[in-house]
Coordinates of all heavy atoms in Angstrom, one line a residue:
I94 N -21.3 18.8 6.0 CA -21.7 18.8 4.6 C -20.8 19.8 3.9 O -20.5 20.9 4.3 CB -23.2 19.3 4.4 CG1 -24.1 18.3 4.9 CG2 -23.4 19.5 2.9 CD1 -25.6 18.7 4.7
R95 N -20.2 19.4 2.7 CA -19.4 20.2 1.9 C -20.1 20.5 0.6 O -20.4 19.5 -0.1 CB -18.0 19.6 1.6 CG -17.2 19.3 2.9 CD -16.2 18.2 2.6 NE -16.8 17.0 2.3 CZ -16.2 15.9 1.8 NH1 -14.9 16.0 1.5 NH2 -16.9 14.8 1.5
V96 N -20.5 21.7 0.4 CA -21.2 22.1 -0.8 C -20.3 22.8 -1.8 O -19.5 23.7 -1.5 CB -22.3 23.2 -0.5 CG1 -23.1 23.6 -1.7 CG2 -23.3 22.6 0.6
G97 N -20.3 22.3 -3.1 CA -19.5 22.8 -4.2 C -20.4 23.6 -5.1 O -21.5 23.2 -5.4
M98 N -20.0 24.8 -5.5 CA -20.7 25.7 -6.3 C -20.2 25.8 -7.7 O -19.0 26.1 -7.9 CB -20.7 27.1 -5.7 CG -21.4 27.2 -4.3 SD -23.2 27.3 -4.4 CE -23.3 28.9 -5.0
E99 N -21.0 25.5 -8.7 CA -20.7 25.7 -10.1 C -21.7 26.8 -10.7 O -21.7 27.0 -11.9 CB -20.9 24.4 -11.0 CG -19.7 23.5 -10.9 CD -19.8 22.4 -11.9 OE1 -20.9 22.1 -12.4 OE2 -18.7 21.8 -12.2
C100 N -22.4 27.5 -9.8 CA -23.3 28.5 -10.2 C -22.8 29.8 -9.5 O -23.1 30.1 -8.4 CB -24.7 28.2 -9.8 SG -25.9 29.5 -10.0
C103 N -25.4 32.1 -7.7 CA -26.3 31.5 -6.8 C -25.9 31.7 -5.3 O -26.5 31.2 -4.4 CB -26.3 30.0 -7.0 SG -27.2 29.5 -8.5
W106 N -28.8 33.1 -3.2 CA -29.8 32.1 -3.0 C -29.3 31.1 -2.0 O -30.1 30.6 -1.1 CB -30.1 31.4 -4.3 CG -30.8 30.1 -4.1 CD1 -32.2 29.9 -3.9 CD2 -30.3 28.8 -4.1 NE1 -32.5 28.6 -3.7 CE2 -31.3 27.9 -3.9 CE3 -29.0 28.3 -4.3 CZ2 -31.1 26.5 -3.8 CZ3 -28.8 26.9 -4.2 CH2 -29.9 26.0 -4.0
L107 N -28.0 30.6 -2.1 CA -27.5 29.6 -1.2 C -27.6 30.1 0.3 O -27.9 29.3 1.2 CB -26.1 29.3 -1.6 CG -25.5 28.1 -0.7 CD1 -26.2 26.8 -0.9 CD2 -24.0 27.9 -1.1
L123 N -20.9 23.1 8.0 CA -21.2 23.3 6.6 C -20.1 24.1 6.0 O -19.6 25.1 6.6 CB -22.5 24.1 6.5 CG -23.0 24.5 5.1 CD1 -23.4 23.2 4.4 CD2 -24.2 25.4 5.2
D124 N -19.6 23.7 4.8 CA -18.6 24.4 4.1 C -19.0 24.5 2.7 O -19.6 23.6 2.1 CB -17.3 23.5 4.2 CG -16.1 24.3 3.6 OD1 -16.0 25.5 3.8 OD2 -15.2 23.6 3.0
T126 N -17.5 25.7 -1.2 CA -16.3 26.0 -2.0 C -16.7 26.1 -3.5 O -17.7 25.6 -4.0 CB -15.3 24.8 -1.9 OG1 -14.1 25.1 -2.6 CG2 -15.9 23.5 -2.4
F129 N -12.3 23.7 -7.3 CA -12.2 22.3 -7.5 C -10.9 22.0 -8.3 O -10.5 22.7 -9.2 CB -13.3 21.8 -8.4 CG -14.7 22.2 -7.9 CD1 -15.5 23.0 -8.6 CD2 -15.1 21.8 -6.7 CE1 -16.7 23.4 -8.2 CE2 -16.4 22.2 -6.2 CZ -17.2 23.0 -7.0
G132 N -12.7 19.9 -11.3 CA -14.0 20.2 -11.7 C -15.0 19.7 -10.7 O -14.8 18.8 -9.9
G133 N -16.2 20.3 -10.7 CA -17.2 20.0 -9.7 C -17.7 18.5 -9.7 O -17.8 17.9 -8.6
L134 N -18.0 18.0 -10.8 CA -18.4 16.6 -10.9 C -17.3 15.6 -10.4 O -17.6 14.7 -9.6 CB -18.8 16.2 -12.3 CG -19.4 14.8 -12.5 CD1 -20.6 14.5 -11.6 CD2 -19.7 14.5 -14.0
A135 N -16.1 15.9 -10.7 CA -15.0 15.0 -10.3 C -14.9 15.2 -8.8 O -14.6 14.2 -8.1 CB -13.7 15.4 -11.0
A136 N -15.1 16.4 -8.2 CA -15.0 16.6 -6.8 C -16.1 15.8 -6.1 O -15.8 15.3 -5.0 CB -15.1 18.1 -6.5
L137 N -17.3 15.8 -6.7 CA -18.4 15.0 -6.1 C -18.1 13.5 -6.1 O -18.2 12.8 -5.1 CB -19.7 15.3 -6.8 CG -20.9 14.7 -6.3 CD1 -21.2 15.2 -4.9 CD2 -22.1 15.0 -7.2
L138 N -17.7 13.0 -7.2 CA -17.4 11.6 -7.3 C -16.1 11.2 -6.5 O -16.0 10.1 -6.0 CB -17.1 11.2 -8.8 CG -18.3 11.2 -9.7 CD1 -18.0 11.1 -11.2 CD2 -19.3 10.1 -9.3
G139 N -15.2 12.2 -6.3 CA -14.0 11.9 -5.5 C -14.2 12.2 -4.0 O -13.2 12.2 -3.3
H140 N -15.5 12.4 -3.6 CA -15.8 12.6 -2.2 C -15.1 13.9 -1.6 O -15.0 14.0 -0.4 CB -15.4 11.4 -1.3 CG -16.2 10.2 -1.6 ND1 -17.3 9.8 -0.8 CD2 -16.2 9.3 -2.7 CE1 -17.8 8.7 -1.4 NE2 -17.2 8.4 -2.5
E141 N -14.7 14.8 -2.5 CA -14.2 16.1 -2.0 C -15.4 17.0 -1.5 O -15.2 17.9 -0.7 CB -13.4 16.8 -3.0 CG -12.1 16.1 -3.4 CD -11.4 16.7 -4.6 OE1 -11.3 18.0 -4.6 OE2 -11.0 16.0 -5.5
I142 N -16.5 16.9 -2.1 CA -17.7 17.6 -1.7 C -18.9 16.6 -1.6 O -18.8 15.5 -2.1 CB -18.1 18.7 -2.8 CG1 -18.3 18.1 -4.2 CG2 -17.0 19.8 -2.8 CD1 -18.8 19.1 -5.2
D143 N -20.0 17.0 -1.0 CA -21.1 16.1 -0.8 C -22.3 16.6 -1.7 O -23.1 15.7 -2.0 CB -21.5 16.1 0.7 CG -20.4 15.7 1.6 OD1 -19.9 14.6 1.4 OD2 -20.0 16.6 2.4
I144 N -22.4 17.8 -2.0 CA -23.5 18.4 -2.8 C -22.9 19.3 -3.9 O -22.0 20.1 -3.5 CB -24.5 19.1 -2.0 CG1 -25.3 18.1 -1.1 CG2 -25.5 19.9 -2.9 CD1 -26.3 18.8 -0.2
L145 N -23.3 19.2 -5.1 CA -22.8 20.1 -6.2 C -24.0 20.9 -6.7 O -25.0 20.4 -7.1 CB -22.3 19.3 -7.3 CG -21.8 20.1 -8.6 CD1 -20.7 21.0 -8.2 CD2 -21.4 19.1 -9.7
V146 N -23.9 22.2 -6.5 CA -24.9 23.2 -7.1 C -24.5 23.5 -8.5 O -23.4 24.1 -8.7 CB -25.0 24.4 -6.2 CG1 -26.1 25.4 -6.7 CG2 -25.2 24.1 -4.8
T147 N -25.3 23.1 -9.5 CA -24.9 23.3 -10.9 C -26.1 23.6 -11.8 O -27.2 23.0 -11.6 CB -24.2 22.1 -11.4 OG1 -23.8 22.3 -12.8 CG2 -25.0 20.8 -11.3
P148 N -26.0 24.5 -12.8 CA -27.0 24.7 -13.8 C -26.9 23.7 -14.9 O -27.7 23.7 -15.8 CB -26.8 26.1 -14.2 CG -25.3 26.3 -14.1 CD -24.9 25.4 -12.9
D149 N -25.8 22.9 -14.9 CA -25.5 22.0 -16.1 C -25.2 20.6 -15.6 O -24.0 20.2 -15.5 CB -24.3 22.5 -16.9 CG -24.6 23.9 -17.4 OD1 -25.5 24.1 -18.2 OD2 -23.8 24.9 -17.1
P150 N -26.2 19.9 -15.1 CA -26.0 18.5 -14.6 C -25.5 17.6 -15.7 O -26.0 17.6 -16.8 CB -27.4 18.1 -14.1 CG -28.4 18.9 -14.9 CD -27.7 20.2 -15.2
I151 N -24.5 16.8 -15.4 CA -23.9 15.8 -16.3 C -24.2 14.4 -15.7 O -23.8 14.1 -14.6 CB -22.4 16.0 -16.4 CG1 -22.1 17.4 -17.0 CG2 -21.8 15.0 -17.4 CD1 -20.6 17.8 -17.0
K152 N -24.9 13.6 -16.4 CA -25.3 12.3 -15.9 C -24.0 11.4 -15.9 O -23.3 11.3 -16.8 CB -26.3 11.7 -16.8 CG -27.7 12.4 -16.8 CD -28.7 11.6 -17.6 CE -30.1 12.3 -17.5 NZ -31.1 11.6 -18.3
R153 N -23.8 10.8 -14.7 CA -22.8 9.8 -14.5 C -23.3 8.7 -13.5 O -24.1 9.0 -12.7 CB -21.5 10.5 -13.8 CG -20.8 11.4 -14.8 CD -20.0 10.6 -15.8 NE -19.1 11.5 -16.6 CZ -19.4 12.2 -17.6 NH1 -20.7 12.2 -18.0 NH2 -18.6 13.0 -18.2
P154 N -22.8 7.5 -13.7 CA -23.2 6.5 -12.7 C -22.7 6.9 -11.3 O -21.6 7.4 -11.2 CB -22.4 5.2 -13.2 CG -22.1 5.5 -14.7 CD -22.0 7.0 -14.8
G155 N -23.6 6.7 -10.4 CA -23.2 7.0 -9.0 C -23.6 8.4 -8.6 O -23.4 8.8 -7.4
V156 N -24.3 9.2 -9.5 CA -24.7 10.6 -9.2 C -26.2 10.8 -9.5 O -26.6 10.3 -10.5 CB -23.8 11.6 -9.9 CG1 -24.3 13.0 -9.7 CG2 -22.4 11.5 -9.6
E157 N -26.9 11.4 -8.6 CA -28.3 11.8 -8.8 C -28.4 13.3 -8.7 O -27.6 13.9 -8.0 CB -29.2 11.1 -7.7 CG -29.3 9.6 -7.8 CD -30.2 9.0 -6.8 OE1 -30.7 9.8 -6.0 OE2 -30.3 7.8 -6.7
Y158 N -29.4 13.8 -9.4 CA -29.6 15.3 -9.4 C -31.0 15.6 -8.9 O -32.0 14.9 -9.3 CB -29.4 15.9 -10.7 CG -27.9 15.9 -11.2 CD1 -27.4 14.8 -12.0 CD2 -27.0 16.9 -10.8 CE1 -26.1 14.8 -12.4 CE2 -25.7 16.8 -11.2 CZ -25.3 15.8 -12.0 OH -23.9 15.8 -12.4
E159 N -31.2 16.6 -8.1 CA -32.5 17.1 -7.7 C -32.7 18.5 -8.3 O -31.9 19.4 -8.0 CB -32.6 17.2 -6.2 CG -32.2 15.9 -5.5 CD -33.3 14.9 -5.5 OE1 -34.5 15.3 -5.8 OE2 -33.1 13.7 -5.1
A160 N -33.7 18.7 -9.1 CA -34.0 20.0 -9.6 C -34.6 20.9 -8.5 O -35.5 20.5 -7.8 CB -35.1 19.9 -10.8
V161 N -34.0 22.1 -8.4 CA -34.4 23.0 -7.3 C -35.3 24.1 -7.8 O -36.4 24.3 -7.2 CB -33.1 23.6 -6.7 CG1 -33.5 24.5 -5.5 CG2 -32.2 22.5 -6.1
F162 N -34.9 24.8 -8.8 CA -35.8 25.8 -9.4 C -35.4 26.1 -10.8 O -34.3 25.9 -11.2 CB -35.7 27.1 -8.5 CG -34.4 27.8 -8.5 CD1 -34.0 28.7 -9.5 CD2 -33.5 27.6 -7.5 CE1 -32.8 29.4 -9.5 CE2 -32.2 28.2 -7.5 CZ -31.9 29.1 -8.5
S264 N -32.3 25.3 -15.3 CA -32.7 24.9 -14.0 C -31.4 24.7 -13.1 O -30.4 24.3 -13.6 CB -33.4 23.6 -14.0 OG -34.6 23.7 -14.7
I265 N -31.6 25.0 -11.8 CA -30.5 24.8 -10.9 C -30.7 23.4 -10.3 O -31.9 23.1 -9.9 CB -30.4 25.8 -9.8 CG1 -30.0 27.2 -10.4 CG2 -29.5 25.4 -8.7 CD1 -28.6 27.2 -11.0
H266 N -29.7 22.6 -10.3 CA -29.8 21.2 -9.7 C -28.8 21.0 -8.6 O -27.7 21.7 -8.5 CB -29.5 20.2 -10.8 CG -30.5 20.1 -11.9 ND1 -30.6 21.0 -12.9 CD2 -31.5 19.1 -12.1 CE1 -31.6 20.6 -13.7 NE2 -32.1 19.5 -13.2
L267 N -29.2 20.2 -7.7 CA -28.3 19.7 -6.6 C -27.8 18.3 -6.9 O -28.7 17.4 -7.0 CB -28.9 19.8 -5.2 CG -29.4 21.2 -4.8 CD1 -29.9 21.1 -3.3 CD2 -28.3 22.2 -4.9
G268 N -26.6 18.1 -7.2 CA -26.1 16.7 -7.4 C -25.5 16.1 -6.2 O -24.9 16.8 -5.3
H269 N -25.7 14.8 -6.0 CA -25.2 14.1 -4.8 C -25.0 12.7 -5.2 O -25.5 12.2 -6.2 CB -26.2 14.2 -3.6 CG -27.5 13.6 -3.9 ND1 -27.9 12.3 -3.7 CD2 -28.7 14.2 -4.4 CE1 -29.1 12.1 -4.0 NE2 -29.6 13.2 -4.5
R270 N -24.1 12.0 -4.5 CA -23.8 10.6 -4.7 C -25.0 9.7 -4.4 O -25.8 10.0 -3.5 CB -22.6 10.2 -4.0 CG -21.3 10.8 -4.4 CD -20.1 10.3 -3.6 NE -20.2 10.7 -2.2 CZ -19.8 11.9 -1.7 NH1 -19.4 12.8 -2.6 NH2 -19.9 12.2 -0.5
T271 N -25.2 8.7 -5.2 CA -26.3 7.7 -4.9 C -26.0 6.9 -3.7 O -24.9 6.9 -3.2 CB -26.5 6.8 -6.1 OG1 -25.3 6.1 -6.4 CG2 -26.9 7.6 -7.4
G272 N -27.0 6.2 -3.2 CA -26.9 5.4 -2.0 C -27.5 6.0 -0.8 O -28.1 7.1 -0.9
A274 N -28.0 8.2 2.2 CA -27.4 9.5 2.5 C -27.8 9.8 4.0 O -28.8 9.4 4.5 CB -28.0 10.6 1.6
Y277 N -29.2 14.6 7.5 CA -29.0 16.0 7.4 C -28.7 16.4 5.9 O -29.0 17.6 5.5 CB -27.8 16.5 8.3 CG -26.5 15.8 8.2 CD1 -25.6 16.0 7.2 CD2 -26.2 14.8 9.1 CE1 -24.4 15.4 7.0 CE2 -25.0 14.1 9.0 CZ -24.1 14.4 8.0 OH -22.9 13.7 7.9
L278 N -28.2 15.5 5.1 CA -28.0 15.8 3.7 C -29.3 15.9 3.0 O -29.6 16.8 2.2 CB -27.1 14.8 3.1 CG -26.7 15.1 1.6 CD1 -25.2 15.5 1.6 CD2 -26.9 14.0 0.7
D279 N -30.2 15.0 3.3 CA -31.6 15.1 2.8 C -32.3 16.4 3.3 O -33.1 17.0 2.6 CB -32.4 13.9 3.3 CG -32.0 12.6 2.6 OD1 -31.5 12.7 1.4 OD2 -32.2 11.5 3.1
F281 N -30.9 19.2 3.9 CA -30.4 20.4 3.2 C -31.1 20.4 1.8 O -31.5 21.5 1.4 CB -28.8 20.2 3.0 CG -28.2 21.4 2.3 CD1 -27.7 22.4 3.0 CD2 -28.2 21.4 0.9 CE1 -27.1 23.5 2.3 CE2 -27.6 22.5 0.2 CZ -27.1 23.5 0.9
I282 N -31.2 19.3 1.2 CA -31.9 19.3 -0.2 C -33.3 19.7 -0.1 O -33.8 20.5 -0.9 CB -31.7 17.9 -0.8 CG1 -30.3 17.6 -1.1 CG2 -32.6 17.8 -2.1 CD1 -30.0 16.2 -1.6
D283 N -34.0 19.2 1.0 CA -35.4 19.6 1.1 C -35.6 21.1 1.4 O -36.5 21.8 0.9 CB -36.0 18.8 2.3 CG -36.2 17.4 2.0 OD1 -36.2 17.0 0.8 OD2 -36.3 16.5 2.9
A285 N -33.5 23.4 0.4 CA -33.1 24.1 -0.9 C -34.3 24.1 -1.8 O -34.6 25.2 -2.5 CB -32.0 23.4 -1.5
K286 N -35.1 23.1 -1.8 CA -36.3 23.0 -2.7 C -37.4 24.0 -2.2 O -38.2 24.4 -3.0 CB -36.8 21.6 -2.7 CG -36.0 20.6 -3.5 CD -36.6 19.3 -3.5 CE -35.8 18.3 -4.4 NZ -36.5 16.9 -4.4

Side-chain angles (χ1 to χ4, degrees):
I94 292 180
R95 297 157 299 166
V96 180
M98 297 279 288
E99 279 191 337
C100 173
C103 287
W106 165 79
L107 182 63
L123 182 67
D124 185 37
T126 182
F129 310 114
L134 181 59
L137 182 63
L138 289 170
H140 293 257
E141 296 174 43
I142 59 175
D143 303 300
I144 292 178
L145 176 64
V146 182
T147 179
D149 301 301
I151 301 174
K152 293 184 178 180
R153 288 288 188 278
V156 175
E157 293 180 1
Y158 293 95
E159 307 280 348
V161 180
F162 63 87
S264 297
I265 292 299
H266 290 76
L267 299 185
H269 59 91
R270 292 181 295 276
T271 56
Y277 52 80
L278 190 109
D279 289 333
F281 183 92
I282 294 173
D283 289 341
K286 289 180 176 180

